Structures are given as C-alpha cells and as structure tokens.
Amino acid sequence: MIASEVNSRWKACKSPHYGCRCPNHDVPRPPNEPIEVAPQHRKFASTNEYPTVDIETDIRSSIDCLASSLSTIKHIYSEIQIVRAALQAQLQELDERQQAWERRERQTREGLTAHRSLVNPVRRLPVEILHLIFSMTLEYNEPPQSSRSRTDWSNNLKFRPFSNPLWTIELVCRNWRKVVIDHRDLWTYIVVDIIPRNIESHSYSRRLARHLSRSGSHPLRVCIGHSEAVSAKKPLPDKLFYLFLSSALRITRLDLYLSINAVASLSDGVSLGLQLFALEHLVVVGDPAHDYGTVDVRSFIDCKALREVQLYNVPCVDSTIGLPDSVRKVIVEDNTVSGVPSPDDDLDGPASDEIARLFNVAGIRHAAVDICIHRESETISPRELSLLTLDISARSGEGARAFIDSIAAPELQEFAFAFIGDEYIAGHEPLQDFASDFNDCQILVDIHSFVDRSHCSLTTLRLIDVEPNLVSLEALLSLLPGLLHFGLHQRDDLFDVVDMLCTRAPEGLYPIPGLRSLELKGDFVGWDLARLARRIGAGIPLENVLILWESPASYEKAVLDCEEVMCASKNTPEIKVRAMVV
C-alpha cells in the first residue's frame, strides 16, 4: 500500500478533517448542563419533612429520568470500551505495519548502498594511486631533528613499535591484496620490537619472515628497538641474526634504538655471517639513563657503502671508533644539549677530544655535533677536513674551543654555532659555571681563528646565544666578504650590533655589503628597528629579513615606537620586514 492509498482511505468519509466525523462512527458527547436538585426541592434536603404529593410526583419523575440517563451512559460506556478495544487492535496492526515499513526502508537503503558501491569511483582508481595511498599509511621511527623544539627532540628519542597496516589492508578485497603483495617496495620498512615475549613467540618470528619474503629483492630499512625496559647489558638475540642472514645484503638503512651493549653485540652477528655491505645510513639512539661505557661500532668498518652516521645519546664515543672512508655525513647529538634531559640523565655527554677523533675520515662533507664537556688530553694537531657544512651546539666553552682548534675546513660554506650555557636543566644545577667558562673562552675569537686558518669562503653564518663582542664580531665578519646569509640570536638587546651594521659605512650593511638574507633575534627597541628599516630600504638588495622577539610585549612596543620614528622621518622608503614572536 503506497502513501497516497493510505491517505485516501483515511479520508473516505468525506470529512474536511483527518479522521472520521460521520454519524455512523461518531461517539456521542455528554451534555454540559449540571445535574442539580431543583431549587423548590432543596428545602427538603436540610430537614426530615416529607414532601407533598405533587412535589413527590415531580421528584420521582426526575429520578426516573436520571435512572434512564444512567442506563444510557452505561450503554455508551460499554460501546466506547468496544471501540477502544477495536482501536487498540488497529493501533497494534499499525505498529506492526510501521515496523515492517521500517525494515523495508533499511533493506532499501542497504540495497542502494550496495548498488552504489558497485560503481564507486574507488573501484576505478589506478593501481598506481592505490599504491601511493597504501604507502602513506606506513609510519616510521624518525630520529630527532635539531630544527624542532627541544621537547620534540627528546620525544623523538623514543622507540615506537608501529604495527604495519598492510596486514589489515590486504583483507579488504582480492584486488587490494594483489596490489599490496605485488608492490614489494611497500614491505621494505621493518620494525623489530625485541622485547622477550616477541623473541620467544613463534608467530612473531613467522610474521617477520613473511614480511622479509614479501619485500622481494628491494633495499631494506630495518629499525630495531624495545618498547619496554630490558636489561642494558643484554646483547641482541642470535635468533634475530639468523632471521636476517639471508637479507643482510639488502639492508641499506639500520636504525638502532638500543643499549650500547646491544649495539656492540652486532659484532657477534658479523661472526655468524651477518654482512652489511650495502648499508648506507646508520642511526644509533642510546639510553643515557642506563648506558655506561663506550660505543664501539667497529662492526661497521667494512660497510664501504656507508654514507651517513647519526649518533644520539651515545654517552661516550670511543677513541677506537672506526668509520669507513665512504662516510660523508656525521651527526652526534646529545639529550643534555639538544633536548630536555631528565633528572636521572648523566650530563657527561660526548667530549670534545672524542668528537674530534671521530672525524678521522677526510671525506666527511656535512657534520652536526653536540659538545658537552672537555677532558684534559694530549693536544690534537689540526686536521684538514672536506666539510661543506658544520653545525656545533656546545654546553662547554672549553670543549667547543678544543674541537674548533683541532680541525680546518677550507671548503666550508655553512657554519652554525649555538651555546646553551645559560639554560636550566630540570633536576640539575643551573649551568652558570659553563657560561662564565664560555665567556672566558672568547668563542668569537676562536671562530675567527678557525675561519682564518681554514681560508674558507663562508656563505652562511648563524650564531645563537653567543656573547656578541662587537670587536670580535666585526673582525669575523670582515673575513667573510662573500657572506650571503647571516643570523644572530641572543637574549639581550642588539643596539651595538644594529649600530655597527647601519652606521659604519655610508651605504649597505657593514661589513657585509653583499648580504642577501638577515635574521636577528633579540630585545629590539623602536629606534633600532627604525634605523635598520631605513638602511635596508635604501637600496640594499636583501631578499629576506626576519626579526624575532621572545616577548610579545616588547614586540608590540618596538613596532609602535618604530612607526612613530618612521612617521617623523620624511622620504623614508617603504620596506617589508617579516617580524614574529617566538
């Protein structure tokens, strides 16, 4: 029965309203007038006097009338009960039909969805698009990035045993399963969580073996770590070595989130036949709260394809460490410098002399190092390196000085130096002693000597939290006529620096007239900003200017004061300077 039929039958009695109003189906309404004793009879209600014959006849007539009405009411009431029962039966039938129509609606919607799915555009996606989508579902353990905040840096030290979603994707349909299995490059990232219950589990080992077989002959990236605390003295299990024996020659990147003893046990794997001749990228993330002693990565000395080595939280780099001549990039960073150490962490990270010995490969082109301490040792003669970029973060002024004095880099193009001596570390004493040690070290003089000794032509120089001794800074910048990018970050005001840049020469920024990018961070005032804006606007070909504040209040005041100064100055060219609060 369709809706129009239901509607027409409901109005079959030609009623102007919904529902039946015809005499055959109308339920009588009771009269509205009240039933009371007649006024002339009320006096007998309050006495025992018997009414007269005429009055009695009149009263008995009323009694007969009311009795007849009561009989009629009982009949009508019984009829109403019959109608109510019939209506309840009809309502029950209506409920059943409504439920039936609701079931039919669900079935119709399901059928509509099923038919639409048959022509869904996802069925027409090319295999290449499905492959791209599936590859984007994979998650990776990535090492810390020094460009991020210190908190993010520390958080990235944690090993995360990401589950591979491909095992679930392949269960959707045969087509998706075929795409997942046929594209073996989707299976080239393998995460191994070496907690005891996984190593002892046959199903976990079988899953790893299937994962390896599905990767075919593609290069592998293997990440090994433990999601739960394990003994720092426990080596890697032999079962793991045997599992990777047949695939070792395909491993091009190895990420190790392990204790130093576990890393050292790789030499046992080599003795079992685990050869990593194709290894190009090595990442070692140690645990400073539990690692003691030195790391010995001589197991990788025969990896002639190794190009990049990243060591994070390695407590002490052994002087006997050996890297193949193929290495081109080295990163050594520590949580006490780049991250946020916990109160349990040992603050004695890599020392300057040990870092210097690590650079025994003349072919290293890119380096980023954290220097925590300096130990008295024999003087190391400066070695000439082929570095193109060098990024140093130091917590010890003497350590930074010792490292810089031990190298020369004639091909160096980009140099960055950051000092964190005035940082406070939770649970430890403030590092004010390091700050005074750093100032006595006169690091700008040491950097000047390093640049002069190297005879390099720097194009990029960034100095972060370095005491800007104006004489030393001017002497350093004067050595770099080809400098294109200059950045200076400090916590105090930059009045002297702005004064040097804007007033020592009739035009341009002294002493770096060819500068293309300028980045300054400090406590600016409106006058400094106005002078800098006027000088930049006077025809200097700068492509990027970035001014940074730490305090929103000082930023707002400086910009307001700058606007007042600029408005008071006539014929001031317009200059667009990116200013932001960090």
Side-chain angles (χ1 to χ4, degrees):
M1 182 187 301
I2 61 175
S4 59
E5 293 177 345
V6 174
N7 207 26
S8 62
R9 294 189 182 187
W10 185 255
K11 297 188 296 184
C13 295
K14 308 298 183 182
S15 171
H17 305 286
Y18 287 101
C20 182
R21 293 291 187 272
C22 67
N24 296 327
H25 301 93
D26 188 23
V27 178
R29 294 180 179 273
N32 293 326
E33 62 272 9
I35 300 176
E36 299 177 347
V37 179
Q40 63 271 24
H41 303 154
R42 290 177 184 171
K43 63 180 181 177
F44 297 103
S46 58
T47 65
N48 289 328
E49 182 181 355
Y50 195 82
T52 62
V53 176
D54 294 338
I55 294 176
E56 180 183 0
T57 302
D58 192 14
I59 291 175
R60 289 190 179 278
S61 176
S62 298
I63 291 174
D64 293 340
C65 182
L66 291 174
S68 176
S69 296
L70 182 61
S71 176
T72 302
I73 290 172
K74 289 182 178 180
H75 175 72
I76 293 174
Y77 183 75
S78 63
E79 290 292 327
I80 289 176
Q81 295 298 322
I82 295 173
V83 172
R84 180 186 294 275
L87 290 176
Q88 288 178 346
Q90 292 182 9
L91 287 174
Q92 183 177 357
E93 183 179 358
L94 286 175
D95 289 340
E96 293 174 355
R97 292 195 179 187
Q98 181 179 353
Q99 294 173 2
W101 280 109
E102 289 175 351
R103 289 193 298 270
R104 185 62 177 177
E105 180 186 15
R106 287 195 299 270
Q107 294 172 358
T108 303
R109 290 184 181 276
E110 292 172 357
L112 180 61
T113 301
H115 282 76
R116 284 177 174 173
S117 67
L118 298 178
V119 292
N120 195 301
V122 73
R123 293 174 174 269
R124 303 172 59 186
L125 287 178
V127 172
E128 294 78 10
I129 300 299
L130 287 175
H131 170 253
L132 178 61
I133 294 174
F134 296 161
S135 65
M136 295 175 67
T137 65
L138 302 176
E139 295 182 280
Y140 298 86
N141 280 289
E142 296 294 349
Q145 301 293 327
S146 58
S147 60
R148 306 180 68 179
S149 70
R150 300 183 68 177
T151 302
D152 291 341
W153 193 98
S154 295
N155 290 336
N156 278 7
L157 293 175
K158 301 175 182 177
F159 171 76
R160 297 172 177 83
F162 296 119
S163 59
N164 195 316
L166 298 177
W167 298 108
T168 303
I169 292 175
E170 70 171 9
L171 301 178
V172 174
C173 63
R174 283 181 294 182
N175 183 37
W176 285 20
R177 176 180 172 82
K178 186 176 186 303
V179 173
V180 166
I181 294 178
D182 289 349
H183 289 79
R184 297 184 177 274
D185 58 300
L186 293 174
W187 300 90
T188 56
Y189 180 61
I190 302 177
V191 180
V192 184
D193 188 5
I194 58 169
I195 56 178
R197 66 171 177 271
N198 285 346
I199 297 301
E200 297 169 1
S201 171
H202 294 293
S203 61
Y204 189 80
S205 300
R206 286 195 299 270
R207 174 66 67 89
L208 287 178
R210 288 179 59 197
H211 195 142
L212 283 169
S213 65
R214 289 193 174 187
S215 64
S217 59
H218 285 265
L220 295 177
R221 175 182 174 182
V222 179
C223 179
I224 304 175
H226 47 81
S227 58
E228 300 174 2
V230 297
S231 174
K233 298 181 179 180
K234 193 171 184 178
L236 290 174
D238 291 345
K239 185 177 182 180
L240 185 64
F241 296 138
Y242 286 117
L243 185 64
F244 282 96
L245 278 180
S246 61
S247 306
L249 293 177
R250 295 193 287 121
I251 298 178
T252 58
R253 174 165 175 171
L254 185 59
D255 297 355
L256 303 175
Y257 290 74
L258 301 170
S259 67
I260 299 307
N261 286 327
V263 175
S265 68
L266 282 171
S267 58
D268 299 333
V270 173
S271 64
L272 293 174
L274 185 68
Q275 304 296 335
L276 301 173
F277 294 147
L279 187 64
E280 299 177 358
H281 192 168
L282 173 65
V283 178
V284 180
V285 181
D287 185 357
H290 301 94
D291 280 336
Y292 303 96
T294 60
V295 58
D296 183 358
V297 293
R298 284 175 292 180
S299 304
F300 304 99
I301 193 66
D302 293 328
C303 301
K304 303 303 181 182
L306 192 60
R307 294 290 184 272
E308 182 172 350
V309 176
Q310 297 174 244
L311 304 177
Y312 300 96
N313 271 5
V314 175
C316 183
V317 182
D318 193 353
S319 59
T320 61
I321 192 171
L323 295 177
D325 294 335
S326 57
V327 173
R328 294 294 177 265
K329 183 175 182 179
V330 174
I331 297 177
V332 181
E333 294 183 352
D334 191 82
N335 197 39
T336 61
V337 177
S338 295
V340 181
S342 66
D344 297 331
D345 288 350
D346 185 1
L347 294 184
D348 289 343
S352 56
D353 54 339
E354 295 160 345
I355 293 292
R357 289 190 178 93
L358 182 64
F359 287 79
N360 59 354
V361 179
I364 295 178
R365 309 291 279 175
H366 307 277
V369 297
D370 286 353
I371 300 176
C372 298
I373 59 176
H374 173 67
R375 295 191 180 96
E376 296 296 335
S377 61
E378 60 181 12
T379 303
I380 303 175
S381 300
R383 293 191 304 276
E384 187 172 298
L385 302 178
S386 302
L387 288 173
L388 296 178
T389 64
L390 177 59
D391 188 339
I392 300 175
S393 298
R395 190 164 57 84
S396 165
E398 286 295 334
R401 180 180 190 179
F403 175 72
I404 292 176
D405 289 346
S406 68
I407 61 173
E411 300 179 39
L412 192 65
Q413 298 177 4
E414 300 180 11
F415 179 74
F417 186 92
F419 179 66
I420 66 156
D422 53 357
E423 293 286 347
Y424 288 80
I425 300 178
H428 299 281
E429 294 296 326
L431 303 177
Q432 296 301 330
D433 293 340
F434 289 106
S436 60
D437 166 48
F438 177 77
N439 292 332
D440 293 340
C441 180
Q442 298 181 348
I443 194 63
L444 285 179
V445 176
D446 298 320
I447 295 176
H448 179 279
S449 300
F450 164 67
V451 173
D452 189 30
R453 180 174 65 251
S454 299
H455 300 289
C456 58
S457 300
L458 288 182
T459 59
T460 300
L461 175 64
R462 297 182 78 245
L463 303 174
I464 300 176
D465 288 341
V466 174
E467 185 69 25
N469 181 287
L470 200 60
V471 175
S472 301
L473 180 61
E474 180 180 353
L476 174 60
L477 294 179
S478 299
L479 276 180
L480 306 171
L483 195 65
L484 300 178
H485 311 281
F486 177 58
L488 179 63
H489 292 201
Q490 72 171 74
R491 301 179 186 277
D492 300 326
D493 66 83
L494 292 174
F495 175 82
D496 293 337
V497 175
V498 173
D499 183 71
M500 179 191 71
L501 293 174
C502 298
T503 62
R504 300 290 182 88
E507 59 183 18
L509 295 179
Y510 176 84
I512 39 179
L515 199 66
R516 292 294 180 270
S517 175
L518 177 64
E519 179 180 321
L520 297 177
K521 175 185 174 183
D523 188 11
F524 283 92
V525 296
W527 175 248
D528 294 337
L529 193 59
R531 283 196 302 169
L532 188 61
R534 283 201 299 267
R535 177 53 64 100
I536 294 174
I540 299 178
L542 278 175
E543 300 171 356
N544 181 38
V545 180
L546 181 60
I547 308 297
L548 302 172
W549 281 264
E550 286 192 353
S551 169
S554 62
Y555 163 72
E556 294 172 359
K557 185 178 185 304
V559 172
L560 182 61
D561 294 343
C562 176
E563 291 176 352
E564 294 178 356
V565 174
M566 297 290 282
C567 291
S569 176
K570 297 181 180 180
N571 301 323
T572 301
E574 295 184 0
I575 177 66
K576 295 182 179 180
V577 178
R578 289 195 301 138
M580 59 188 298
V581 180
V582 295

